[in-house]
């Protein structure tokens, strides 16, 4: 655990591990990682959800957002009553939350400890508005941290460890998570 702590910058303290031991949880490394992930993510969610501006292109019946003239010109005559617009929405449905939601669902399906299941159930309710998406290793590379989402770095790194270890097992012919 100390090697993971140093290499991923997780800031796991002995207090966190002592809390896990005091809960009489199984001594499985996967259960420890899931507990640390769920606990750290829950603590950050209590401070506030992560929302960011997401650019969406949609077909609207009224003009809202930025009109995409290039696409509008190419429309067939029976579709001219709809506008192709680009909208910037401040939403909870973003890539970082999709990674958290996927990891939470995956960990919930694999954990055997009841304490982790309770924490993960609560997190799944929090991410109810996030669209489920299958996460790939490329998605982890696309996340960039700023001062607005820096507080989610620890749960993000734990999610990377949880899903990364399963992806390596899939390469050897075991389970397929990513």
């Amino acid at each position: 655990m100390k090697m993971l702590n140093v290499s991923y910058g997780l800031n796991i303290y002995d207090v966190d591990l002592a809390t896990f031991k005091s809960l009489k949880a199984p001594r499985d490394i996967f259960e420890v990682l899931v507990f640390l992930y769920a606990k750290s993510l829950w603590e950050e969610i209590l401070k506030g959800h992560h929302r960011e501006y997401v650019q969406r292109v949609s077909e609207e019946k009224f003009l809202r957002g930025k009109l995409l003239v290039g696409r509008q010109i190419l429309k067939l005559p029976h579709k001219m009553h709809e506008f192709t617009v680009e909208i910037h929405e401040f939403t909870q449905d973003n890539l970082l939350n999709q990674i958290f939601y996927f990891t939470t669902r995956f960990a919930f399906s694999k954990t055997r400890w009841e304490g982790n299941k309770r924490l993960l159930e609560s997190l799944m309710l929090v991410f109810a508005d996030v669209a489920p998406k299958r996460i790939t290793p490329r998605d982890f590379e696309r996340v960039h941290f700023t001062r607005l989402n820096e507080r989610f770095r620890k749960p993000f790194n734990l999610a990377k460890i949880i899903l990364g270890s399963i992806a390596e097992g899939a390469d050897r012919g075991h389970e397929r998570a990513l």
Side-chain angles (χ1 to χ4, degrees):
M1 285 304 292
K2 291 189 182 209
M3 288 175 55
L4 287 174
N5 194 12
V6 171
S7 62
Y8 283 93
L10 298 177
N11 297 329
I12 298 172
Y13 302 106
D14 292 334
V15 175
D16 295 331
L17 296 176
T19 303
F20 183 75
K21 289 177 186 175
S22 70
L23 295 173
K24 297 184 175 104
R27 305 257 188 232
D28 183 9
I29 188 72
F30 179 75
E31 298 293 340
V32 173
L33 288 172
V34 169
F35 172 75
L36 292 172
Y37 163 77
K39 182 178 174 279
S40 64
L41 183 57
W42 183 253
E43 288 171 355
E44 295 304 326
I45 292 293
L46 288 177
K47 296 175 187 173
H49 296 284
H50 171 63
R51 297 180 195 275
E52 65 184 36
Y53 282 101
V54 177
Q55 177 181 341
R56 300 201 192 281
V57 175
S58 66
E59 298 290 324
E60 301 286 337
K61 298 217 183 277
F62 54 91
L63 192 55
R64 159 184 123 161
K66 179 175 145 183
L67 179 65
L68 299 176
V69 177
R71 288 191 186 179
Q72 193 68 27
I73 292 172
L74 298 175
K75 284 191 177 183
L76 297 174
H78 70 282
K79 291 284 190 176
M80 291 302 273
H81 66 283
E82 292 181 349
F83 299 105
T84 305
V85 295
E86 179 180 280
I87 305 165
H88 294 270
E89 293 179 323
F90 192 61
T91 181
Q92 184 179 350
D93 191 12
N94 53 57
L95 182 59
L96 185 60
N97 285 341
Q98 288 171 349
I99 289 172
F100 289 149
Y101 186 49
F102 181 80
T103 306
T104 301
R105 286 186 322 169
F106 174 77
F108 183 78
S109 69
K110 298 296 179 190
T111 188
R112 296 179 315 273
W113 184 48
E114 210 47 49
N116 280 345
K117 284 190 184 275
R118 281 193 304 270
L119 269 170
L120 293 169
E121 280 177 345
S122 301
L123 286 171
M124 283 196 294
L125 289 174
V126 168
F127 293 119
D129 295 336
V130 175
K133 177 186 177 201
R134 191 159 191 79
I135 300 300
T136 63
R138 174 75 179 112
D139 292 329
F140 281 100
E141 296 169 8
R142 289 183 26 219
V143 173
H144 299 286
F145 286 95
T146 64
R147 63 181 180 84
L148 299 175
N149 64 356
E150 181 64 33
R151 62 192 176 101
F152 291 100
R153 189 179 291 271
K154 179 179 177 180
F156 176 79
N157 286 335
L158 285 164
K160 192 186 303 185
I161 292 169
I162 291 169
L163 294 179
S165 63
I166 302 304
E168 290 170 8
D171 292 339
R172 286 181 256 129
H174 294 63
E175 300 171 334
R176 185 95 191 142
L178 296 177

